Amino acid sequence: ILLTTTILLCYDINMKIHLCDKDFDLKYNFEDYPHMHAHSYWEFLLVTEGTYLHRLNASSAFLTKNTIQLIRPADAHSLHSLSPRMGHINLVVSSDVMKRQLDLLAPDAYESLISSKDDIHFTIADSVCKSYVQKTLSAGQFKEDEPQYRFWISQLFLSFVKDLFYQRFCGLRYGNQNRRLNFLGSRCLKKYKE
């Protein structure tokens, strides 16, 4: 993954702007964000504990443990916890990085996702969620300018993109068993190109 400097913008209902001057930002959160807001970047939200009410544009959904929610640039959303114990991972990614990665998988994947009005969320296996938590905690041991941080955050990003692509374009669902996604990936890409 080629990392460049990009300004990521986030604004809430009061038009307060939040800036982030990098291609990625990663947070492990234990609180909700009940105010509707939107931003100029992509966000992967993974619920690691509890249940949340997630409002996205004109729809609402309950997000439970092991659910990944994709938030596109300009999607307005909020997150309200319905559980006393809660936790979620936020990985935000610049549009440039997201487009480059999706273009490697399929030429129209980025445009398909950015133009979609669908609420895109899906459930992953508990073992996969635990591996994402481990990658997040590993990244958190390093400063953002250290190569180890970039390594772990890029691994997490690639894992999220792989899951998104398989779920969205190949219709694969996780069961209780761990799947060998790399093996399935070549079959999925063949199916997608046909």
Side-chain angles (χ1 to χ4, degrees), residues 74-93:
D75 278 344
H77 73 115
S78 67
L79 189 66
H80 180 72
S81 175
L82 303 175
S83 306
R85 292 179 52 104
M86 61 185 154
H88 64 279
I89 295 170
N90 288 96
L91 175 65
V92 299
V93 181

Side-chain angles (χ1 to χ4, degrees), residues 61-170:
F62 294 103
L63 304 181
T64 57
K65 183 178 178 183
N66 302 337
T67 301
I68 295 177
Q69 172 75 52
L70 178 70
I71 298 111
R72 293 169 292 255
D75 278 344
H77 73 115
S78 67
L79 189 66
H80 180 72
S81 175
L82 303 175
S83 306
R85 292 179 52 104
M86 61 185 154
H88 64 279
I89 295 170
N90 288 96
L91 175 65
V92 299
V93 181
S94 73
S95 289
D96 291 340
V97 170
M98 189 73 165
K99 182 171 183 355
R100 282 195 309 262
Q101 188 61 41
L102 288 172
D103 284 349
L104 291 173
L105 297 172
D108 61 345
Y110 182 86
E111 291 305 319
S112 173
L113 287 173
I114 197 81
S115 64
S116 174
K117 301 293 183 205
D118 296 341
D119 179 358
I120 302 171
H121 65 272
F122 51 90
T123 303
I124 58 174
D126 193 54
S127 60
V128 176
C129 183
K130 287 177 182 174
S131 75
Y132 290 176
V133 169
Q134 186 58 48
K135 289 175 185 176
T136 301
L137 294 174
S138 295
Q141 296 177 25
F142 302 99
K143 295 179 181 174
E144 292 181 12
D145 60 348
E146 292 183 277
Q148 297 93 332
Y149 177 83
R150 289 177 177 246
F151 169 79
W152 285 112
I153 201 169
S154 66
Q155 292 301 303
L156 185 62
F157 168 64
L158 293 174
S159 297
F160 277 144
V161 168
K162 182 169 46 170
D163 287 340
L164 168 66
F165 188 80
Y166 291 155
Q167 293 280 338
R168 181 71 178 178
F169 298 104
C170 303

Side-chain angles (χ1 to χ4, degrees), residues 19-35:
L19 296 175
C20 179
D21 64 347
K22 49 193 166 239
D23 285 328
F24 296 106
D25 194 19
L26 178 65
K27 291 187 175 71
Y28 201 165
N29 292 303
F30 299 95
E31 55 191 40
D32 53 7
Y33 201 96
H35 306 289

